[in-house]
Each structure stands twice: as structure tokens, then as C-alpha cells.
């Protein structure tokens, strides 16, 4: 069944939020903390090895009450049930949305058009497992009988960003295989990647749900030509595999039937890293770690599905984000992980959120009269503190931040980790508390700069009252990364439901593709 259509701005809770916004829009978060010394405990959520502190937001208990009412009035519970049950909630493409089934560890059936899809998911996972084992232990070899040393993932968008982000994020867990990614149609990209590779010991994984994407097919053809300079057509069967729904086109490319990993049209590209699209992840870190990654996402799914809205991490984060986007008119959100491993998280989240919710027509086909998808951006701390944080601290815009930190580092360097986490906490505190003119005055006097006070004081003031969430996770493990990604997937889903838009199509990418073909001709 389809999602229920409700214009959020016509709900009672939206009107309550509007009135409430007028009352609290100027209030300092400091006042909220002064009035309630249990605010930090009240505005925090725990799940497995995650703890989320959302107390440094411009919200009160009343704000949350109206936001949760908005979720209820928007029939979010019904939408969540339909999402997990395989209803065709991707109505414009007449498809179910079942990336959650790919990591489902329950024994329940998941039906699409009356067929249980769990057996074929398990079959594919078994194939990924067996293939990974044989490649990693050298049993499966390249066309000249040598074990593989390198893997090249050829794909773009969801067939690149997810696997690339996870492979880089879990680099600590990697085995001897080196993984490379070719995505851009820019020929220099593919040339740079293959120039130092040995075709004999390189496994090429062509990932394309449709197997019609210009970039991926062009790159795959270029690599095939390069490969055939030293190998013959029949050798393609040893060194090339593909992940796709389009089996005919894959076979036409010359890939052996046994080397095809299927995926399904009920998995969207940007949600597909849990499927065989994640083959390069499994190859890079081993199947056990890949499975732990799926498990982490499954745990977050269970949390999302079964927890009341008030205790629900993705629901709460989505609603707070809506509060800023639709009432404070913030427009953008920044995600700052305090680990270098998560450098590719922001580009991944950009596709996840912006391709999903960058829509301006509602589920009735009407132009929306309110803001939808946020602009997502970010990079890693502490690097960003020496780059864009100036604007976040003192610029004219309010930019809500998600800080992501880890209690433990992977190599256990305490000195570095304490400094890293001191910065993680300090940034949130600085945004929240700011620095008043009086404080700047005192500070300058104390530092012996009294003579510069008149000249510099206004520039050194920090208004504060800038919001952030602190997402603290025990350790960067495959399981916790899986849960983190699932958390953002569900946050995106909740926002799309409430904004009454279709989050699972992407017609907005088509026009550019069509015109590029015309220009090419
Ligand atoms: O850019 C649009 C898009 O369809 C994405 O949604 C998708 O992830 C990407 O292109 C790649 O598509 P495919 O996996 O079919 O090559």
C-alpha cells in the first residue's frame, strides 16, 4: 500500500510549532540549561554502543512534544510499517524499498509481490561469502594463475560512494588486498587508477544496478581494452565480475554467468551497499567483518522499528532537523566525524539525503510550499576547525552540526585521542556557549592586550546559541559503522515521510544525462 499523503503544514502540530517558534526563537540555550539541571540527561538517547546528546539544541520539552505530535499526525508509524513490510512506497517507480531486508537477521518472511525475498538474499550472501574467501585466500586466481593483489570497483553514485566510504572507513580491518575505485567519466581518473596495476593480479568489479550508466560502461570498456592488451577475451571470465539487475547486458559485456552477482530493483542505488554492491567491502575486510557491518545496521533497524518515537534516535534526529530547516530556515547541516577514517562520510550522506529528499513536488503531485531536503556537507575534525568552522562559529548563518566521536581510537594512541576528543567536546561547547563581550574584555585584559580592546573586541565575540548533536560511539567497528549508516538512512526516510515527498526516486538526475547525450552528438 502507498504512503498516506498529509501536507505537514496543514497539521495542528505544525501550527503549534509555528506559534511555539515565535516564543522561543530568540531564547538562549543557556537559559534552558539554567532552568533545568537535568536537561542533559533528559535530552540524550542510548542505543547499544551509541549515546546521543541532543541537549545543545534550540528546543524545549514543548518543542519535542509538538515534533513528536507532528510525526504522529504524519502517520509515521504506518509509514515505517510499510517501509519494512515491502509495500510499494516508491510509488513513482512502482517499487518496494527493502534495503532493510538485505541485513534482516530475523527469520520472518519479507514479501514482494507475494514472494518471499529472504531466500534469494541469503543465496547472494552465501555467494559473496564463498567468493570473498576464495579471493582472499588465493584459491581463485587471475588469468595467468597468480593470486589477486588488487580490486578495482567500477561504478558511480550509489555503486561507488557507499562501498568507497565503507572500505576507507574500515581501512583498519583490511586484509592484503588493495581496493581502488573508478567512478568519474574523466578519463584521467581511470588512467591514474590502472596505470600502476598489474592486469594479471587485479580483479575488476563492475557495479551498476542498471548497467546502462554512461560513466560506468565507458570506464569498464576502457579497462577491458587495457586488459585485452595483455590478455584474451576468454580471460575476462577470470578477472571480471559484475553486480547488476541487468543480467543480459552484463553477459553482453563478456562476463561469465557465474561471475554475476544479482541485485534487485527494490534496492535503491544509494541504499545498495548492503547488497552485492558491497562486494568490494567484503573483499577488502573479509566476509565476517562485512556480516558484522550488516548486523550493526540490523540492530539499528530493530531500534528504529520497535522504539517509541520519544526514545527513537533516527526519529528524534529527523525531527530536530525539520525544526531547523522549516522553522529556523537553516537550509544546511554539517556532519563532522572526529576520525580521519570517516573522511568520505559527508559525500556519502550527500547522495543519501540530497538525492532522496531534494524534491519540490509532494506525494499528491503538487508543488510544495515549504522547505524539503537539507544541504548536507562536512569533513573530519579536527581538520575542519582550520577550514570552515570560522563560518559555523561566527558567520551569519545557523548551521546545525552533527559531531561524531569515538570513545576509543583504533591503535590506542592515548595522547592523540585525548587531544582529538578534547576538540570534539570543545567545538560543541564553543558553539553553544559562545563568548560574550564581557568575557572577551576580561580575557584580553588578563592576556595583557588591554590596549587593543577598543579595536578588537567586537571581532572576538562569539554569539553562541548555535546548535549541535553529539553522537558518541564506543569504537569505529564494522558493527557500529553499519548502525551509523542505518541511522542516517532512517533519518532521511522520516524526513521524507513528514515532508510528504517521494524519497526513493531520483528523476532530478535525468535531464542532465539526456542533455549530455545531446551535446555529445
Ligand atoms: O545518478 C543517478 C543514479 O541513478 C544513482 O541513483 C545511482 O546510484 C547511480 O546513478 C548509478 O546507477 P547504476 O548503479 O545503475 O549504474
Amino acid at each position: 500500500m502507498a504512503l498516506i499523503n498529509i501536507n505537514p503544514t496543514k497539521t495542528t502540530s505544525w501550527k503549534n510549532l509555528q506559534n511555539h517558534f515565535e516564543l522561543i526563537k530568540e531564547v538562549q540555550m543557556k537559559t534552558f540549561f539554567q532552568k533545568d539541571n537535568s536537561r542533559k540527561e533528559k535530552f540524550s538517547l542510548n542505543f547499544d554502543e551509541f549515546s546521543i546528546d541532543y541537549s545543545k539544541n534550540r528546543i524545549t520539552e514543548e518543542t519535542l512534544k509538538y515534533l513528536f505530535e507532528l510525526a504522529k499526525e504524519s502517520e509515521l508509524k504506518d509509514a515505517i510499517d510499510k517501509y519494512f513490510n515491502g509495500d510499494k512506497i516508491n510509488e513513482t517507480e512502482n517499487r518496494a524499498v527493502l534495503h532493510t531486508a538485505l541485513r534482516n537477521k530475523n527469520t520472518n518472511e519479507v514479501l514482494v509481490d507475494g514472494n518471499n525475498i529472504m531466500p534469494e538474499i541469503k543465496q547472494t550472501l552465501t555467494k559473496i561469502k564463498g567468493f570473498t574467501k576464495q579471493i582472499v585466500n588465493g584459491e581463485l586466481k587471475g588469468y595467468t594463475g597468480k593470486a589477486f593483489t588488487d580490486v578495482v570497483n567500477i561504478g558511480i553514485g550509489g555503486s561507488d560512494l557507499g562501498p568507497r566510504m565503507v572500505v576507507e572507513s574500515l581501512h583498519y580491518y583490511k586484509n592484503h588486498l588493495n581496493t581502488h575505485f573508478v567512478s568519474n567519466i574523466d578519463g584521467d581518473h581511470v588512467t591514474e587508477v590502472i596505470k600502476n596495476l598489474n592486469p594479471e593480479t587485479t580483479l575488476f568489479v563492475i557495479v551498476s544496478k542498471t548497467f546502462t550508466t554512461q560513466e560506468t560502461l565507458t570506464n569498464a570498456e576502457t579497462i577491458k581494452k587495457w586488459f585485452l592488451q595483455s590478455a584474451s577475451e576468454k580471460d575476462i571470465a577470470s578477472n571480471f565480475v559484475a553486480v547488476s539487475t541487468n543480467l543480459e547486458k552484463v553477459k553482453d559485456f563478456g562476463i561469465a554467468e557465474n561471475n554475476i552477482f544479482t541485485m534487485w530493483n527494490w534496492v535503491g542505488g544509494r541504499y545498495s551497499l548492503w547488497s552485492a554492491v558491497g562486494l568490494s567491502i567484503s573483499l577488502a575486510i573479509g566476509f565476517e567483518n562485512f556480516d558484522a557491518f550488516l548486523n550493526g545496521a540490523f540492530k539499528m533497524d530493530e531500534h528504529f522499528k520497535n522504539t517509541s518515537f520519544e526514545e527513537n534516535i533516527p526519529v528524534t534526529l529527523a525531527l530536530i532537523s525539520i525544526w531547523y530547516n522549516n522553522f529556523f530556515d537553516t537550509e544546511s547541516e554539517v556532519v563532522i566525524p572526529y576520525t580521519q577514517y570517516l573522511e568520505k562520510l559527508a559525500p556519502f550522506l550527500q547522495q543519501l539525503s540530497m538525492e532522496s529528499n531534494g524534491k519540490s513536488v509532494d506525494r499528491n503531485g503538487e508543488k510544495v510550499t515549504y522547505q524539503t531536503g537539507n544541504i548536507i556537507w562536512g569533513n573530519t575534525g579536527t581538520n575542519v576547525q582550520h577550514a570552515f568552522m570560522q563560518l559555523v562559529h561566527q558567520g551569519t548563518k545557523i548551521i546545525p552540526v552533527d559531531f561524531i566521536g569515538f570513545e576509543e581510537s583504533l591503535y590506542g594512541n592515548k595522547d592523540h585521542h585525548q587531544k582529538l576528543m578534547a576538540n570534539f567536546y570543545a567545538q560543541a561547547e564553543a558553539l553553544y556557549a559562545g563568548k560574550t563581550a564581557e568575557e572577551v574584555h576580561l580575557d584580553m585584559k588578563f592576556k595583557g592586550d588591554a590596549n587593543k580592546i577598543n579595536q578588537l573586541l567586537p571581532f572576538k565575540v562569539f554569539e553562541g546559541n548555535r546548535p549541535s548533536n553529539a553522537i558518541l560511539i564506543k569504537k569505529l567497528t564494522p558493527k557500529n559503522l553499519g548502525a551509523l549508516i542505518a541511522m542516517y538512512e532512517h533519518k532521511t526516510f522520516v524526513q521524507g515521510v513528514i515532508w510528504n515527498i517521494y524519497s526513493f526516486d531520483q528523476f532530478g538526475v535525468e535531464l542532465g544525462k539526456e542533455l549530455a547525450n545531446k551535446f555529445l552528438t
Side-chain angles (χ1 to χ4, degrees):
M1 281 212 314
L3 295 177
I4 298 166
N5 285 335
I6 293 161
N7 179 336
T9 63
K10 300 277 187 284
T11 59
T12 311
S13 41
W14 192 277
K15 283 170 200 121
N16 287 336
L17 282 164
Q18 264 168 340
N19 295 333
H20 172 69
F21 172 72
E22 291 306 321
L23 297 176
I24 74 152
K25 64 181 180 193
E26 305 293 350
V27 183
Q28 295 286 312
M29 285 189 271
K30 276 185 190 165
T31 315
F32 301 144
F33 273 95
Q34 277 153 10
K35 282 193 181 150
D36 183 358
N37 53 21
S38 59
R39 179 175 168 94
K40 190 165 161 19
E41 291 72 55
K42 270 188 201 155
F43 289 0
S44 64
L45 291 169
N46 293 303
F47 152 83
D48 196 30
E49 296 186 331
F50 282 52
S51 77
I52 318 277
D53 173 1
Y54 62 97
S55 62
K56 292 191 183 70
N57 279 296
R58 293 169 69 168
I59 55 170
T60 63
E61 286 180 271
E62 198 178 348
T63 323
L64 285 174
K65 176 173 160 285
Y66 296 139
L67 287 170
F68 290 126
E69 279 171 12
L70 174 64
K72 284 173 196 143
E73 275 191 86
S74 307
E75 300 284 354
L76 177 61
K77 184 75 191 91
D78 174 79
I80 294 174
D81 291 342
K82 287 174 175 160
Y83 174 36
F84 281 86
N85 286 344
D87 289 31
K88 295 203 171 159
I89 60 170
N90 177 2
E91 248 191 282
T92 43
E93 295 181 332
N94 192 30
R95 289 174 183 168
V97 175
L98 277 171
H99 46 277
T100 52
L102 298 165
R103 58 220 189 192
N104 175 26
K105 304 283 172 186
N106 287 325
T107 50
N108 61 313
E109 294 188 334
V110 180
L111 302 177
V112 173
D113 295 325
N115 300 316
N116 182 16
I117 56 169
M118 288 315 298
E120 38 180 337
I121 292 175
K122 295 223 166 94
Q123 237 173 38
T124 302
L125 276 175
T126 309
K127 185 165 171 168
I128 295 173
K129 183 179 179 178
F131 186 74
T132 302
K133 210 171 141 204
Q134 286 181 306
I135 295 289
V136 174
N137 70 16
E139 225 173 285
L140 268 181
K141 299 186 190 335
Y143 68 97
T144 56
K146 292 183 187 157
F148 289 105
T149 55
D150 293 84
V151 176
V152 177
N153 186 95
I154 310 162
I156 197 165
S159 300
D160 166 70
L161 288 165
R164 182 197 292 256
M165 181 271 290
V166 176
V167 167
E168 288 193 22
S169 300
L170 298 179
H171 181 86
Y172 176 79
Y173 302 88
K174 91 181 262 299
N175 50 36
H176 66 280
L177 294 169
N178 292 318
T179 316
H180 315 262
F181 291 86
V182 176
S183 53
N184 204 320
I185 192 80
D186 173 7
D188 292 338
H189 188 194
V190 59
T191 308
E192 275 297 341
V193 172
I194 56 177
K195 76 177 184 197
N196 294 323
L197 291 176
N198 178 354
E200 295 173 61
T201 56
T202 304
L203 176 72
F204 297 98
V205 184
I206 309 173
V207 187
S208 178
K209 180 175 166 182
T210 54
F211 225 78
T212 57
T213 305
Q214 187 193 49
E215 289 91 336
T216 304
L217 294 191
T218 308
N219 282 324
E221 286 296 347
T222 301
I223 287 178
K224 184 161 120 179
K225 259 189 222 144
W226 168 82
F227 178 80
L228 291 176
Q229 284 168 12
S230 46
S232 63
E233 287 278 347
K234 69 165 182 17
D235 298 328
I236 292 175
S238 313
N239 287 54
F240 284 75
V241 300
V243 182
S244 186
T245 56
N246 195 340
L247 306 188
E248 284 316 304
K249 287 225 172 231
V250 176
K251 279 186 219 157
D252 291 349
F253 185 87
I255 299 215
E257 192 143 5
N258 202 30
N259 287 351
I260 305 174
F261 292 78
T262 38
M263 61 180 295
W264 306 273
N265 69 15
W266 40 259
V267 189
R270 54 196 174 273
Y271 298 87
S272 64
L273 76 178
W274 319 100
S275 70
V277 169
L279 184 62
S280 57
I281 303 173
S282 179
L283 291 167
I285 60 172
F287 184 80
E288 280 67 33
N289 281 323
F290 182 62
D291 198 41
F293 171 70
L294 298 183
N295 240 310
F298 168 68
K299 276 196 159 191
M300 183 56 81
D301 293 344
E302 292 291 283
H303 164 85
F304 176 57
K305 207 167 53 169
N306 301 326
T307 311
S308 70
F309 291 166
E310 289 76 6
E311 301 291 321
N312 197 308
I313 294 171
V315 172
T316 304
L317 293 181
L319 291 171
I320 293 174
S321 169
I322 288 175
W323 173 237
Y324 291 122
N325 188 44
N326 294 92
F327 296 89
F328 283 89
D329 296 331
T330 52
E331 302 213 331
S332 94
E333 263 171 32
V334 59
V335 182
I336 308 178
Y338 273 68
T339 164
Q340 199 49 34
Y341 289 111
L342 293 190
E343 201 182 4
K344 292 289 176 350
L345 182 67
F348 169 78
L349 293 179
Q350 283 174 333
Q351 189 200 12
L352 173 64
S353 174
M354 292 161 81
E355 198 167 75
S356 297
N357 288 337
K359 314 284 166 66
S360 49
V361 171
D362 72 11
R363 293 202 293 264
N364 287 310
E366 308 278 332
K367 183 124 180 70
V368 296
T369 54
Y370 46 88
Q371 287 291 316
T372 62
N374 298 303
I375 300 159
I376 309 287
W377 55 293
N379 210 322
T380 58
T382 57
N383 295 1
V384 301
Q385 296 170 204
H386 304 272
F388 60 66
M389 284 309 279
Q390 163 66 40
L391 184 141
V392 183
H393 284 288
Q394 281 191 320
T396 51
K397 298 173 174 60
I398 301 174
I399 303 168
V401 186
D402 274 0
F403 289 110
I404 302 170
F406 294 87
E407 284 173 44
E408 292 170 30
S409 71
L410 295 181
Y411 287 101
N413 187 324
K414 279 218 167 95
D415 174 48
H416 279 264
H417 200 63
Q418 277 168 357
K419 288 173 183 162
L420 177 75
M421 292 310 283
N423 277 281
F424 167 85
Y425 288 112
Q427 287 296 310
E429 183 65 18
L431 288 170
Y432 153 75
K435 196 169 181 179
T436 62
E438 293 72 39
E439 285 166 338
V440 174
H441 196 278
L442 271 176
D443 194 38
M444 289 187 77
K445 250 170 108 175
F446 179 74
K447 286 180 179 150
D449 286 335
N451 56 333
K452 294 188 194 146
I453 290 177
N454 282 348
Q455 185 205 349
L456 292 182
L457 187 134
F459 306 105
K460 289 181 165 260
V461 169
F462 289 72
E463 281 174 5
N465 212 23
R466 298 188 176 215
S468 67
N469 296 307
I471 299 165
L472 185 63
I473 305 170
K474 191 157 188 298
K475 198 171 168 178
L476 179 53
T477 59
K479 179 191 80 172
N480 286 337
L481 183 67
L484 183 72
I485 299 170
M487 179 190 91
Y488 279 114
E489 284 180 350
H490 299 322
K491 174 185 170 186
T492 304
F493 170 78
V494 172
Q495 289 179 304
V497 169
I498 292 177
W499 286 326
N500 199 31
I501 53 177
Y502 287 118
S503 297
F504 297 100
D505 59 23
Q506 55 285 317
F507 296 114
V509 303
E510 295 306 329
L511 181 59
K513 287 184 193 173
E514 274 167 34
L515 292 178
N517 280 330
K518 279 196 188 148
F519 276 101
L520 186 62
T521 322

